Amino acid sequence: MNIEEIRGIPITDFLARLGHEPTARKGNEWWYSAPYREERTPSFRVNIRKNVWQDFGTGGGGDIFHLAGEFTGSSDFKEQAKFIVAAWGGVLPENGAAFRPKEKKPDEHPDEETCSVKATFGPLYNKVLLRYLEERGICSDVALPNCEEVRYTLRGKRYFNIGFRNISGGYELRNRLFKGSLSPKDISLIDNGSDTCNLFEGFIDYLSWMVLGLGCGDDYLVLNSVALLERSYGFLDKYDHILCYLDRDEAGRRTLETLRKRYGNRIEDCSALYKGFKDLNEYLQNRLPQD
């Protein structure tokens, strides 16, 4: 696929491929809950005629490449293209010039400011972040050994996030209002030397699994995005058993089918445990005592 073919992918179809469906459709405007952060009221709009998006919660917006940048936490155009093609299906040309962004003429407006983020890391002691996890059913006894507190300043504002490290040194970031990542984007692996691996889409589901006490001593692999599935193969290939706790949605089903084609009966679908719920964390939350 070249740059124009990628840019021509309908953003609504791309979001559906990632498992995100609109909450409302009003003419050319489709509304979603922001797909890369947590929010209670949908504030993410796609104009299907112009094929552009806008996030009224953060002020962000743009085309499909800008959207991929939000998912990957990267401003690198090539990394954005790789993410889109991995999720959509297709092949990037070997010649990088074929998908290099067009150079701007001197009289054109310069690119928007790209903010570099210098983050600091430490133990997860922030009470607001811990309270957010508790509301999702995750106790500090599970969160503290698995997560870090990530602090950074962006455009003069200070931010605090729950951070979950991946194998490349990047982090998945969460707080009550934000869902994103700190590049580089990659999978996460907890290797205990087991011949069984438990597979999750996101780290909140992994933490939920730990809270539920479904086992111990196995290995754990968190995709951090179904678009990163191929990166997991080099690790999953060695396991005799792969227990899948994927979301009960279209993206989760497609991911499971892809894994079955590669691994056959080494794959076990464990989603029946949380039948009636979207994912493992939603199941956990519904087991909590009601006030």
Side-chain angles (χ1 to χ4, degrees), residues 158-215:
R158 297 176 65 193
Y159 294 91
F160 299 82
N161 287 272
I162 302 152
F164 186 73
R165 199 173 192 271
N166 64 43
I167 61 174
S168 294
Y171 285 80
E172 292 301 302
L173 303 178
R174 296 289 186 282
N175 63 35
R176 191 183 304 279
L177 300 174
F178 178 76
K179 177 180 179 181
S181 59
L182 188 63
S183 61
K185 181 90 171 179
D186 211 334
I187 64 172
S188 301
L189 178 70
I190 297 92
D191 189 344
N192 294 314
S194 174
D195 61 1
T196 297
C197 184
N198 298 277
L199 180 67
F200 307 90
E201 287 191 34
F203 78 91
I204 296 294
D205 287 326
Y206 159 67
L207 297 178
S208 301
W209 189 95
M210 298 295 289
V211 170
L212 289 165
L214 297 178

Side-chain angles (χ1 to χ4, degrees), residues 68-110:
E70 295 291 340
F71 278 108
T72 63
S74 174
S75 59
D76 181 80
F77 192 80
K78 187 174 181 179
E79 287 300 313
Q80 294 169 0
K82 285 182 178 179
F83 177 83
I84 297 167
V85 172
W88 183 255
V91 179
L92 284 174
E94 293 183 4
N95 178 9
F99 57 91
R100 189 176 301 141
K102 182 179 71 174
E103 293 184 2
K104 292 184 178 293
K105 297 177 182 179
D107 59 342
E108 290 187 89
H109 295 293

Side-chain angles (χ1 to χ4, degrees), residues 9 13-18 64 71 80-90 225-230 254:
I9 295 172
D13 291 350
F14 179 66
L15 288 171
R17 188 68 60 92
L18 293 174
I64 194 169
F71 278 108
Q80 294 169 0
K82 285 182 178 179
F83 177 83
I84 297 167
V85 172
W88 183 255
S225 169
V226 294
L228 300 180
L229 179 62
E230 289 188 6
R254 284 197 302 267

Side-chain angles (χ1 to χ4, degrees), residues 112-171:
E112 295 181 4
E113 179 185 3
T114 301
C115 298
S116 59
V117 175
K118 185 176 181 180
T120 58
F121 311 90
L124 182 57
Y125 292 150
N126 186 291
K127 292 182 179 180
V128 174
L129 298 177
L130 289 172
R131 190 177 306 121
Y132 163 69
L133 287 175
E134 287 173 2
E135 290 171 0
R136 301 195 65 166
I138 297 164
C139 60
S140 59
D141 288 346
V142 168
L144 290 176
N146 289 282
C147 301
E148 298 176 51
E149 186 174 316
V150 181
R151 303 176 292 276
Y152 59 88
T153 300
L154 181 63
R155 296 187 179 94
K157 294 184 178 180
R158 297 176 65 193
Y159 294 91
F160 299 82
N161 287 272
I162 302 152
F164 186 73
R165 199 173 192 271
N166 64 43
I167 61 174
S168 294
Y171 285 80

Side-chain angles (χ1 to χ4, degrees), residues 6-114:
I6 296 173
R7 184 169 279 124
I9 295 172
I11 290 175
T12 51
D13 291 350
F14 179 66
L15 288 171
R17 188 68 60 92
L18 293 174
H20 302 283
E21 298 296 334
T23 59
R25 305 179 186 185
K26 301 176 182 178
N28 289 323
E29 296 180 350
W30 291 23
W31 290 85
Y32 296 77
S33 294
Y36 44 78
R37 62 182 179 86
E38 299 285 345
E39 65 173 356
R40 295 181 178 178
T41 303
S43 63
F44 183 95
R45 183 184 69 185
V46 177
N47 185 303
I48 60 173
R49 183 175 63 83
K50 298 179 180 178
N51 202 32
V52 295
W53 62 276
Q54 186 171 4
D55 186 342
F56 290 92
T58 66
D63 63 10
I64 194 169
F65 288 99
H66 293 99
L67 180 57
E70 295 291 340
F71 278 108
T72 63
S74 174
S75 59
D76 181 80
F77 192 80
K78 187 174 181 179
E79 287 300 313
Q80 294 169 0
K82 285 182 178 179
F83 177 83
I84 297 167
V85 172
W88 183 255
V91 179
L92 284 174
E94 293 183 4
N95 178 9
F99 57 91
R100 189 176 301 141
K102 182 179 71 174
E103 293 184 2
K104 292 184 178 293
K105 297 177 182 179
D107 59 342
E108 290 187 89
H109 295 293
D111 290 334
E112 295 181 4
E113 179 185 3
T114 301

